[in-house]
Amino acid sequence: MPSRWSSPDSSRSSSTSDESEYNGDTHQHVELSGDDYQSLRVELSRRGIGNYKCPHSKTCKKGGWKDGDFVVFKQNSAFKAHLQKHEKPFKCDLPGCNNRSGFARLDQLQRHKQKVQH
C-alpha cells in the first residue's frame, strides 16, 4: 500500500520512461506542513510497514538520501527514528547548557547530562 507521505512527482513529465534515478519508483518526497507532519507522526505511532521517504529528500544529510537515490524506510519504526534525527525532540533543560539543537534519542540526552559540565 503506498504511503500518503510519498506522492507522484508532479515536476516530471508523465512521458518520461527513465525512472532509474528514483529506483524505478515514480514517487518523490512531499513537503509537509505542520498539520501534515502531525498526521504523519500519528500514522507512525502505529506498528506497521510502508514505503516511507524522507521529506527532506536530496537535502537530507542524515541517511535519507544515499548515492543519489532516496533511502526507502520499510518499517514505521525505522522512519520514525530517521525523522527524530531531523527533529531532535530531546532537549537539555539544565541551566547553563549551550546545546540548543537537542538530541535525536533519549539515551543521547541522558549521556549528555551525565558527561557534560554545565
Side-chain angles (χ1 to χ4, degrees), residues 14 17 29 40-41 53 55 59 80 82 90-92 99 104 111:
S14 60
S17 60
H29 85 286
L40 174 59
R41 301 297 287 161
K53 296 176 185 172
T59 62
K80 184 178 177 182
H82 174 76
F90 301 100
K91 309 291 184 191
C92 183
N99 183 312
R111 183 178 57 239

Side-chain angles (χ1 to χ4, degrees), residues 4-81:
R4 101 175 239 215
W5 308 112
S6 30
S7 65
D9 180 6
S10 59
S11 66
R12 292 176 62 96
S13 164
S14 60
S15 63
T16 302
S17 60
D18 180 20
E19 299 292 335
S20 61
E21 69 184 277
Y22 299 103
N23 286 330
D25 185 350
T26 59
H27 289 80
Q28 177 133 283
H29 85 286
V30 177
E31 294 297 326
L32 299 177
S33 70
D35 290 340
D36 283 340
Y37 208 79
Q38 183 59 32
S39 296
L40 174 59
R41 301 297 287 161
V42 169
E43 180 179 328
L44 293 176
S45 68
R46 294 183 222 110
R47 291 185 72 188
I49 59 172
N51 289 311
Y52 298 99
K53 296 176 185 172
C54 180
H56 299 277
S57 71
K58 295 178 183 179
T59 62
C60 180
K61 305 226 185 300
K62 301 178 184 303
W65 184 260
K66 185 176 180 182
D67 298 329
D69 274 324
F70 286 98
V71 172
V72 177
F73 299 94
K74 300 216 180 258
Q75 296 179 335
N76 290 7
S77 58
F79 186 54
K80 184 178 177 182

